[in-house]
Amino acid sequence: MSRFLVVLPDDSAQPILEAIQHAEKSLRVKMFLFSDPQILAAVIKAHQRGVKVRIMLNPSRRDGEKENNETRNNLLHAGIEVIDSNPAFELTHEKSMIIDDETAWIMSLNWDAKNLAAARDYAVVTSHAHEVKEIIECFEADWARQPFNPGEHSHMIWCVGNARQRIAAFIDEAKHSLWVQNERYQDPLIIEHLVRANRRGVKVHIMARSPHTLKQEKVIEGVAGLRVLDDVGVKVHKVKGLKLHAKLLFADHVRAIVGSINLAPGSFNSRRELAIEVRDEDVVNRVHKIVHHDWENSHAMDLSDAGLLDDLGEERAEQII
């Protein structure tokens, strides 16, 4: 199987652990947040059995919080090569792993125990040589602090790079149905393309996080984007019982995009992000089942003034009403 899908929390961290345990030669990891003790132990054991391990960690969030320090110290103490992700970007939100130059993982998920257990997330695992090669080239460029330009015929979807154009084109090509799971709906161009899809008769299903989960400085644009979609008749829902952390687009039961990219200007304009478009039958069939399950276990988001007051609380809601 050249590509397959991992779904969290359904599949647990076990596929990740097994992949690391079977590494024989090399392990390259680029991660926004790495704190899970089981995965940390597996990475250290890989190094101890002779696997060449190199890890890039995002140094801090936008607010300066440094969540990876403990893991960094543990990795360095074990003798593993660890560096900050490329400082050319505001932050590196990409979550990827390359094993033995043969298999690449493109993920929406952080290696964080709480998220692994309770968040809707996805990973596409590919052994297509041209895709693996491109992800390796980006890793090596970021490691060496060199420019990376995959060119016009890039197999992958990159930020900063081709992502906004590729995602907009993906939306424009939808004919019958479009399902989107994302934390943020803030990029004006992407919202415009979603509105146009709805107007030409595509059944657009939006799954988002509740406004109160957005950071203070992102509430206004986040709610505004959802309200635009709601105003034109797009169905906007929030999933019950799961933290929605996925970054997924699924069109016509035949194509999906999976990766780390939030639909926000910052992701497209100033961050290192990675996603992949897939059409594999096994992958899209499973995505189909998951998005329908999540939709059945969701409810419409009330984006009226009264609904926002109830969700945000009066003090925060006053900023956008």
Side-chain angles (χ1 to χ4, degrees):
M1 193 182 303
S2 55
R3 297 189 192 94
F4 66 90
L5 183 72
V6 176
V7 181
L8 274 296
D10 306 43
D11 297 342
S12 78
Q14 194 59 35
I16 303 169
L17 294 169
E18 290 176 358
I20 295 169
Q21 289 161 4
H22 286 97
E24 296 178 351
K25 301 174 184 176
S26 63
L27 181 65
R28 297 175 178 89
V29 175
K30 206 184 290 184
M31 189 56 58
F32 179 68
L33 173 59
F34 184 0
S35 61
D36 182 76
Q38 289 188 87
I39 299 178
L40 175 62
V43 168
I44 291 173
K45 286 181 180 178
H47 166 73
Q48 290 171 342
R49 66 174 183 269
V51 176
K52 180 177 176 59
V53 179
R54 287 185 291 162
I55 296 180
M56 270 185 278
L57 296 175
N58 186 67
S60 63
R61 290 184 180 267
R62 293 189 309 272
D63 61 7
E65 185 179 5
K66 299 179 183 295
E67 298 172 289
N68 289 319
N69 280 357
E70 183 177 352
T71 294
R72 173 194 298 276
N73 291 337
N74 287 330
L75 291 167
L76 289 171
H77 182 73
I80 293 173
E81 292 183 82
V82 187
I83 66 171
D84 287 346
S85 49
N86 193 338
F89 302 96
E90 177 187 57
L91 55 80
T92 289
H93 196 240
E94 175 186 345
K95 304 98 160 51
S96 64
M97 173 171 66
I98 310 152
I99 297 175
D100 295 339
D101 294 349
E102 296 176 353
T103 306
W105 288 59
I106 301 98
M107 299 173 273
S108 67
L109 56 106
N110 288 302
W111 285 356
D112 171 73
K114 291 181 180 179
N115 280 0
L116 290 167
R120 171 63 75 227
D121 267 312
Y122 302 95
V124 169
V125 185
T126 179
S127 56
H128 279 262
H130 53 282
E131 294 171 348
V132 176
K133 180 175 181 289
E134 188 169 309
I135 299 169
I136 290 173
E137 288 173 352
C138 180
F139 183 96
E140 295 299 335
D142 283 350
W143 187 273
R145 310 316 199 210
Q146 297 295 321
F148 168 70
N149 182 5
E152 294 181 6
H153 304 292
S154 170
H155 300 288
M156 310 305 295
I157 302 172
W158 295 102
C159 298
V160 174
N162 61 3
R164 186 181 273 114
Q165 294 80 7
R166 286 281 298 273
I167 291 174
F170 182 95
I171 295 168
D172 290 347
E173 290 165 12
K175 294 178 174 62
H176 308 293
S177 65
L178 182 65
W179 303 74
V180 189
Q181 293 184 333
N182 207 283
E183 289 185 274
R184 300 182 189 172
Y185 296 83
Q186 298 167 347
D187 188 77
L189 186 140
I190 298 301
I191 291 168
E192 177 185 343
H193 284 263
L194 290 170
V195 168
R196 289 179 176 179
N198 177 70
R199 285 182 173 172
R200 67 176 183 270
V202 177
K203 293 183 178 178
V204 181
H205 300 75
I206 297 293
M207 282 174 262
R209 294 180 67 181
S210 297
H212 75 265
T213 66
L214 298 173
K215 292 189 175 181
Q216 185 74 18
E217 67 274 15
K218 296 298 181 182
V219 171
I220 295 175
E221 58 188 296
V223 170
L226 292 174
R227 275 185 149 180
V228 167
L229 294 167
D230 185 62
D231 285 347
V232 299
V234 173
K235 294 179 179 179
V236 180
H237 278 213
K238 54 184 176 182
V239 179
K240 295 184 289 186
L242 282 174
K243 176 184 177 182
L244 184 64
H245 189 255
K247 296 90 174 64
L248 169 80
L249 295 96
F250 180 53
D252 300 329
H253 192 184
V254 294
R255 302 178 294 129
I257 288 177
V258 172
S260 67
I261 303 170
N262 284 311
L263 303 179
S267 295
F268 295 118
N269 297 339
S270 58
R271 298 182 180 183
R272 169 66 80 211
E273 306 268 14
L274 171 63
I276 184 171
E277 181 176 343
V278 293
R279 296 172 181 256
D280 307 62
E281 186 175 359
D282 290 343
V283 173
V284 297
N285 283 344
R286 190 167 188 206
V287 170
H288 178 83
K289 291 178 182 178
I290 293 295
V291 296
H292 281 79
H293 170 272
D294 287 351
W295 191 260
E296 291 168 4
N297 290 278
S298 70
H299 54 82
M301 190 178 294
D302 186 351
L303 293 165
S304 67
D305 288 359
L308 291 171
L309 271 170
D310 183 58
D311 183 81
L312 291 168
E314 187 170 354
E315 182 177 346
R316 294 188 76 194
E318 284 178 354
Q319 299 177 37
I320 62 172
I321 294 176

